[in-house]
């Protein structure tokens, strides 16, 4: 009998991705979230003060912060991988979706804008050519921003 191709599903994600673990950990553990999303760190607050100067609405401030994280923090990985606070990401000037999202949230919160991080699993083929992954799924995060 021929074998059917194995499809990536949530059960396989338990072994292939950490999104199932990280998302609930941050939402259930406010201390861990506070350590990573350190919106009161002096480097974060000083950078935000520069970015939002002369930006009068929350939307203008959010766009300025978004553009900074997108354009000034290059995509990549550090030896610390996940174990980076927002201030660490800012200092390194490099991050990937999860760590850049952590920085984005910290900066938004420092600007008085509500934001939270959401975690999902993605097909690992989206990183083909960048990384040689031997797993069907990778974890990814995105930021939800409350405006208006």
């Amino acid at each position: 009998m021929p074998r059917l191709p194995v499809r990536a599903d949530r059960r396989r994600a338990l072994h292939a991705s950490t999104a199932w673990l990280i998302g609930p950990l941050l939402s259930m553990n406010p201390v861990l979230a506070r350590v990573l999303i350190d919106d009161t760190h002096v480097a974060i607050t000083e950078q935000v003060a520069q970015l939002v100067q002369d930006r009068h609405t929350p939307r203008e401030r959010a766009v300025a912060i978004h553009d900074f994280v997108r354009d000034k923090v290059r995509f990549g990985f550090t030896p610390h991988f996940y174990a980076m606070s927002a201030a660490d990401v800012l200092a390194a000037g490099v991050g990937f979706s999860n760590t850049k999202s952590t920085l984005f949230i910290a900066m938004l919160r420092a600007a008085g804008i509500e934001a939270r991080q959401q975690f999902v699993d993605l097909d690992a083929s989206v990183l083909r050519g960048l990384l040689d992954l031997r797993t069907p799924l990778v974890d990814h995060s995105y930021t939800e921003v409350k405006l208006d």
Side-chain angles (χ1 to χ4, degrees):
M1 178 177 227
R3 297 183 88 188
L4 296 174
V6 177
R7 287 186 44 202
D9 63 18
R10 191 69 178 142
R11 289 181 302 267
R12 298 190 99 218
L14 294 176
H15 303 287
S17 172
T18 56
W20 64 274
L21 175 65
I22 294 172
L25 276 179
L26 287 178
S27 61
M28 292 184 315
N29 188 336
V31 174
L32 177 59
R34 191 80 190 135
V35 167
L36 294 177
I37 302 173
D38 49 353
D39 57 299
T40 60
H41 190 283
V42 66
I44 299 289
T45 58
E46 287 179 357
Q47 184 64 60
V48 168
Q50 287 180 348
L51 291 172
V52 302
Q53 184 178 13
D54 300 325
R55 306 282 189 331
H56 303 291
T57 68
R59 182 173 302 281
E60 289 173 335
R61 293 193 297 270
V63 169
I65 293 167
H66 169 272
D67 292 351
F68 173 84
V69 174
R70 181 194 64 200
D71 298 339
K72 301 298 183 188
V73 180
R74 64 186 169 80
F75 176 81
F77 302 91
T78 70
H80 303 292
F81 203 52
Y82 286 108
M84 293 180 72
S85 69
D88 294 337
V89 178
L90 182 61
V94 62
F96 63 104
S97 64
N98 298 342
T99 56
K100 287 179 83 165
S101 181
T102 301
L103 174 60
F104 186 37
I105 292 166
M107 294 179 83
L108 288 166
R109 289 181 181 175
I113 301 168
E114 290 183 50
R116 67 182 178 177
Q117 195 168 21
Q118 295 292 336
F119 292 86
V120 295
D121 291 317
L122 295 178
D123 186 317
S125 67
V126 300
L127 294 174
R128 189 175 295 127
L130 293 173
L131 297 172
D132 180 25
L133 298 174
R134 297 163 201 256
T135 176
L137 300 169
V138 293
D139 58 307
H140 175 68
S141 68
Y142 61 92
T143 304
E144 291 182 347
V145 182
K146 185 175 181 182
L147 294 171
D148 305 327

